[in-house]
Amino acid sequence: DIQMTQSPSSLSASVGDRVTITCQASQDIRKHLNWYQQRPGKAPQLQIYDASNLGKEVPSRFSGSGSGTNYSLTITSLQPEDIATYYCQQYDTLPPLFGPGTTVDIK
Amino acid sequence: EVQLLESGGGVVRPGGSLRLSCVASGFTFDDYGMSWVRQIPGKGLEWVASINWNGGSTGYVNSVKGRFTISRDNAKNSLFLQMNSLRAEDTALYYCVRTPLGYCGGGYCYLFDLWGQGTLVPVSS
């Protein structure tokens, strides 16, 4: 079975910092990877699909990259509203599987 | 407004049944595949079940196969999840989610571009 890991599990950064979250699959997932943002007490929202495509109305400070087994979500200038848990999700092997999440807060 | 609104959650005893509903508004419902994704409070996300645009294909996570049934009524813009033989480990917040065409296949949907607010299902004696 495919396994998904994310690192770090949590991080604290200052407003304006560049933040990068990584997601690793146990096998090549051929860019079949999505990212979701879940703000505290809210439902998840699609941020990035197919590894690097920005979701609808997602700010341009978010970007996704990667290939093979290694992927990343980058926030170029962290804003207070970006406080959330971020989940990656693969769909190269079905059923779809979410990573364990990375919690981002403000230092 | 484009939205999904779940209902039907509530406390249920182990072995019991519950039917979740989700009503869609603001978009053409039968242009999309639909799924249920659950989240144990404070924990991660787990895909539970999907259904394609016309109900002709469905898929389930192994842990609910034979116990849960996903269905839809396109005339009523509604999605359902019939949950039988509930277990303590089914306790979770259940989200209704939407998938654009092209991201469903073989009963599985795998891109979730709109989420409801969730309905809580505690399974407890």
Side-chain angles (χ1 to χ4, degrees), chain B residues 20-63:
Chain B
L20 305 184
S21 299
C22 169
V23 177
S25 57
F27 63 95
T28 303
F29 186 62
D30 56 10
D31 277 351
Y32 293 86
M34 298 296 295
S35 302
W36 292 95
V37 173
R38 66 186 178 185
Q39 184 172 36
I40 297 171
K43 302 294 184 182
L45 300 164
E46 179 182 46
W47 170 84
V48 175
S50 292
I51 189 166
N52 75 333
W53 69 276
N54 66 359
S57 295
T58 59
Y60 301 89
V61 67
N62 283 342
S63 61

Side-chain angles (χ1 to χ4, degrees), chain A residues 18-71:
Chain A
R18 181 184 182 92
V19 170
T20 297
I21 299 165
T22 64
C23 175
Q24 185 171 44
S26 57
Q27 63 194 59
D28 185 354
I29 57 172
R30 303 179 297 166
K31 298 188 178 183
H32 294 151
L33 185 98
N34 307 317
W35 289 95
Y36 300 86
Q37 175 195 67
Q38 186 175 31
R39 293 182 172 128
K42 300 295 185 182
Q45 291 183 297
L46 179 66
Q47 296 293 101
I48 302 286
Y49 64 97
D50 296 344
S52 60
N53 295 301
L54 213 58
K56 191 176 180 182
E57 298 180 1
V58 174
S60 58
R61 63 181 179 274
F62 288 89
S63 64
S65 64
S67 62
T69 61
N70 295 299
Y71 299 85

Side-chain angles (χ1 to χ4, degrees), chain A residues 34 36 38 43-44 50 89 91, chain B residues 39 47 95 103 110 112 115-116:
Chain A
N34 307 317
Y36 300 86
Q38 186 175 31
D50 296 344
Q89 173 244 316
Y91 63 92
Chain B
Q39 184 172 36
W47 170 84
Y95 292 105
Y103 287 89
Y110 36 82
F112 311 118
W115 297 62

